[in-house]
Amino acid sequence: MKRLPGEEGIWVLIAGDLLVFSLFFLTFMYYRAGEMAVFLASQRTLSLGFGLANTLLLLTSSLFVAIATQRLRVTGKPAPKLYMAAIACGLGFVGDKAVEWGDKFHAGIGFTTNDFYMLYFAFTGIHLFHVLLGMGVLSFLTIACQRPNATTRGLVLIESGAIFWHLVDLLWIVLFALFYLVR
Amino acid sequence: MLSTRSQTILVWWGLIFIIVYGLSLGFLEKMVPLPSAHLTADQVAAFYTANSFSVRLGALICSYSSAFMVPLATVIAVQMARLEKGVPIWAILQFAGGIMMSLFLVLPPIFWGVCAYTPTRPPEVTLIMHELANLTLTTTDQYYIFQMVAIAVVSLTAKPDPLTAFPRWMGYFTVWAAIMFEAGAIAFLPKSGPFAWNGLFVFWSPFCIFGAWFIALGFTLLGAINRQSALERA
């Protein structure tokens, strides 16, 4: 029988997070339907380049994490450098976000500007918190993959950490589509 | 009395009190959900005038039952300590977080009670007390976090133990609940929408998630205590 990656418990967290972010998406669509003009106008003031760069950074980081975890599972060799590369992508994401938000604040756009920006800052802010947590998890993976039990008892924990990072990536992709792309 | 028996009583005490607290918050205080943050001072004063007795009775019952976390945090600490090696530092942190949290559950009912105590005072004075109550209820998550982090750490790092009260899924559930609680503090910023103090993510989601988390934890504790007591008697 094919084994579920990670341990069962991590899927409680994943399902819970997906449930809440689904609520975020429905909330966004609900407000958008009510204030279509405001949402479309505000969307044009978002920086698509910054959002796109962040999408690429997270996708790349997820690839690193997947390769590192797969290598550990198949060959039994740890690849801490790949996890570190994923952390570097995460740092890039945070830096990109800081510049993007700083840019908006500088232009006088903030949380209270309108409903679009309220949802934008709240949802991407909560997602940013996930990214920071995820980078903590990746730092743990960097160490854990070099332990002697990494291919036996420790493997499920490493897989669970990798799954969490993929969740962070997945949530961003949906947020990106929702805020930057939906016309 | 056997410790397991005492622990069972304390867990039930906590569970019954949280239900009493939740019910009087909704039906007597009429604060589920909180009223809109856009109400004027006159409208707020009128609410307390119209519901003066009900809000004060609610304040009485809510503030009495608000300490529901005290017995539960005590049992959680005892159950965590049996899994920790050496000084049970996470159990102590969890206990401190749980006890501190109780403060922020007793304050809003007291403040609402003050609002309703003399509703004929100038409306602006009532408004400030009303806002203080609502923001105290929604934006004070800091101590839950210490309690939840401690529970998550012990759930996820303890050696497998058939008598544990903290299965691994409870660890992940707790991590998720802690993340979702963080949204509460946003209530300082907007007055309407999903992040206002009566909004979906500041009011409803913590209200439901906290309720579900508390009850789930209550029942994993009861289950574990039951297994431990069977072993104690055998």
Side-chain angles (χ1 to χ4, degrees), chain A residues 18-183:
Chain A
L18 285 177
L19 181 76
V20 171
F21 272 82
S22 310
L23 268 178
F24 285 179
F25 307 146
L26 289 177
T27 308
F28 179 85
M29 295 316 279
Y30 173 78
Y31 276 84
R32 185 174 181 272
E35 306 170 62
M36 197 59 115
V38 175
F39 272 57
L40 285 175
S42 304
Q43 188 184 47
R44 275 192 288 277
T45 58
L46 279 185
S47 321
L48 187 61
F50 281 103
L52 189 65
N54 264 346
T55 307
L56 293 176
L57 278 169
L58 280 194
L59 281 174
T60 314
S61 72
S62 254
L63 182 66
F64 287 146
V65 169
I67 295 172
T69 310
Q70 184 66 9
R71 186 172 297 174
L72 184 68
R73 203 159 36 196
V74 174
T75 68
K77 288 204 179 72
K81 281 190 183 135
L82 283 172
Y83 290 122
M84 283 188 228
I87 295 173
C89 291
L91 282 173
F93 182 94
V94 176
D96 177 301
K97 190 105 268 177
V99 176
E100 188 185 0
W101 280 16
D103 207 33
K104 290 281 167 293
F105 294 147
H106 197 69
I109 296 172
F111 190 84
T112 49
T113 302
N114 59 32
D115 282 347
F116 177 86
Y117 272 106
M118 176 183 72
L119 296 177
Y120 167 79
F121 282 113
F123 294 169
T124 56
I126 291 170
H127 178 262
L128 187 63
F129 182 65
H130 279 72
V131 173
L132 295 175
L133 277 181
M135 282 160 60
V137 170
L138 290 181
S139 311
F140 166 77
L141 295 192
T142 310
I143 301 163
C145 74
Q146 301 178 73
R147 287 186 187 153
N149 71 356
T151 50
T152 53
R153 229 169 52 82
L155 185 63
V156 273
L157 200 59
I158 293 173
E159 283 178 351
S160 302
I163 290 167
F164 182 75
W165 187 256
H166 293 320
L167 170 77
V168 171
D169 184 10
L170 173 70
L171 293 177
W172 172 254
I173 290 172
V174 185
L175 283 179
F176 175 66
L178 208 58
F179 281 104
Y180 295 80
L181 301 182
V182 174
R183 295 282 147 145

Side-chain angles (χ1 to χ4, degrees), chain B residues 35-180:
Chain B
S36 160
H38 284 296
L39 294 187
T40 63
D42 286 326
Q43 287 170 314
V44 168
F47 167 81
Y48 286 105
T49 309
N51 298 291
S52 176
F53 179 75
S54 166
V55 170
R56 281 179 294 149
L57 182 64
L60 191 159
I61 297 175
C62 268
S63 52
Y64 247 90
S65 54
S66 64
F68 57 77
M69 199 38 117
V70 174
L72 200 83
T74 310
V75 176
I76 297 172
V78 169
Q79 288 294 328
M80 284 169 75
R82 65 175 284 284
L83 296 172
E84 288 188 65
K85 285 186 209 137
V87 181
I89 191 76
W90 293 108
I92 296 170
L93 179 71
Q94 181 283 139
F95 181 73
I99 299 310
M100 288 303 292
M101 193 192 99
S102 278
L103 264 181
F104 295 104
L105 290 165
V106 73
L107 289 178
I110 292 176
F111 296 158
W112 291 318
V114 172
C115 288
Y117 190 69
T118 315
T120 48
R121 67 170 86 78
E124 285 75 16
V125 181
T126 298
L127 180 67
I128 194 174
M129 186 53 75
H130 172 75
E131 290 183 343
L132 179 61
N134 295 355
L135 288 170
T136 304
L137 183 75
T138 50
T139 64
T140 47
D141 314 323
Q142 48 280 73
Y143 297 107
Y144 296 83
I145 302 307
F146 281 118
Q147 187 180 28
M148 289 177 153
V149 167
I151 292 174
V153 168
V154 168
S155 305
L156 296 175
T157 59
K159 283 238 161 71
D161 179 336
L163 299 178
T164 183
F166 308 99
R168 296 186 65 89
W169 65 263
M170 182 47 90
Y172 287 112
F173 185 30
T174 305
V175 170
W176 174 66
I179 295 174
M180 291 328 299

